[in-house]
Amino acid sequence: QVQLVESGGGLVKPGGSLRLSCAASGFTFSDYYMSWIRQAPGKGLEWVSYISSSSSYTNYADSVKGRFTISRDNAKNSLYLQMNSLRAEDTAVYYCARVAMVQSSLDYWGQGTLVTVSS
Amino acid sequence: DIQLTQSPSFLSASVGERVTLSCRASHDIHTYLAWYQQKPGEAPRLLIYGASSLQGAVPSRFSGSGSGTEFTLTITSLQPEDSATYYCQQFSSFPNTFGQGTKLDIK
């Protein structure tokens, strides 16, 4: 069965960095585009970033552009989100999700990892 | 950016009722729309893709319709387990924005 497991969240000071990982299993990871989505405490969902199956194409929300970098290692079935220059408003649960081949919706989600940016 | 506006923000209904949730796009997104269900403490779950296609294993009481700028999610014969927040998301262009959500409470 499809599984996505995020890790790497935690408490970090403003201006700091963190790298999130998402381990994928149960499907051919290299065939699928992937995304990161976040949810601030008590708030709605916010799309963060997107990467193509071969890493040739990426896209970012304006709120993280220039600070966050999405990447993947198809040999390790893993997705990453490098987060630099973190701000308090980046505090959220971060989900990785698989982009469906039909219609590009997000058909499988991980359980999320909490990132807290606070001094 | 394409804005998605969901209405109502909160809805309370009884078991067995039929409810309709709305999602309005600021620009034509054809049928590049999905609906998700999220329960407290859980990740979102895909319900509907392509505006009207039911994702596998989703009960048939859920249905989606619409195209262009107006979309609806209908739940017939509400069940207690349908209590959740429902989000729409567009895939017509980046950023793939979400609506702000509709919280559905089952009386």
Side-chain angles (χ1 to χ4, degrees):
Chain A
Q1 72 282 18
V2 173
Q3 268 201 307
L4 298 169
V5 180
E6 301 94 337
S7 60
L11 175 64
V12 60
K13 289 181 168 53
S17 298
L18 214 53
R19 188 196 197 204
L20 305 184
S21 299
C22 172
S25 61
F27 65 102
T28 304
F29 181 70
S30 58
D31 284 348
Y32 287 85
Y33 291 23
M34 298 292 294
S35 272
W36 287 98
I37 301 91
R38 68 183 180 183
Q39 186 169 37
K43 302 297 185 183
L45 300 170
E46 180 186 13
W47 176 87
V48 173
S49 187
Y50 169 102
I51 187 168
S52 63
S53 54
S54 63
S55 304
S56 59
Y57 180 79
T58 59
N59 204 293
Y60 299 90
D62 285 346
S63 58
V64 307
K65 201 172 293 183
R67 300 187 300 122
F68 289 13
T69 302
I70 190 171
S71 63
R72 64 191 294 162
D73 186 335
N74 287 342
K76 294 183 178 180
N77 291 336
S78 293
L79 176 72
Y80 306 103
L81 187 67
Q82 178 67 44
M83 304 186 296
N84 299 330
S85 303
L86 282 162
R87 307 166 179 165
E89 54 265 35
D90 296 319
T91 294
V93 172
Y94 285 74
Y95 297 100
C96 67
R98 190 180 84 168
V99 179
M101 286 188 174
V102 177
Q103 276 279 337
S104 300
S105 53
L106 304 172
D107 61 355
Y108 285 92
W109 296 61
Q111 84 290 349
T113 187
L114 176 63
V115 172
T116 303
V117 184
S118 174
S119 55
Chain B
D1 295 2
I2 294 176
Q3 311 300 319
L4 295 180
T5 302
Q6 292 187 240
S7 60
S9 296
F10 180 82
L11 180 60
S12 183
S14 300
V15 171
E17 279 191 42
R18 167 190 167 121
V19 296
T20 299
L21 285 59
S22 174
C23 177
R24 175 174 292 177
S26 59
H27 298 82
D28 185 347
I29 59 170
H30 305 284
T31 58
Y32 292 105
L33 187 101
W35 289 94
Y36 303 90
Q37 176 193 65
Q38 187 181 34
K39 298 180 180 180
E42 297 184 6
R45 169 197 181 195
L46 177 64
L47 299 176
I48 302 286
Y49 63 92
S52 61
S53 297
L54 194 67
Q55 175 70 351
V58 174
S60 58
R61 64 180 181 274
F62 291 90
S63 64
S65 65
S67 66
T69 61
E70 300 284 343
F71 300 88
T72 59
L73 174 69
T74 299
I75 313 173
T76 58
S77 189
L78 272 175
Q79 299 300 304
E81 61 267 29
D82 298 335
S83 179
T85 301
Y86 293 83
Y87 295 94
C88 56
Q89 185 190 17
Q90 64 83 19
F91 299 92
S92 176
S93 65
F94 287 109
N96 293 156
T97 43
F98 288 90
Q100 83 280 11
T102 291
K103 186 172 183 180
L104 174 61
D105 175 66
I106 309 298
K107 295 176 189 172

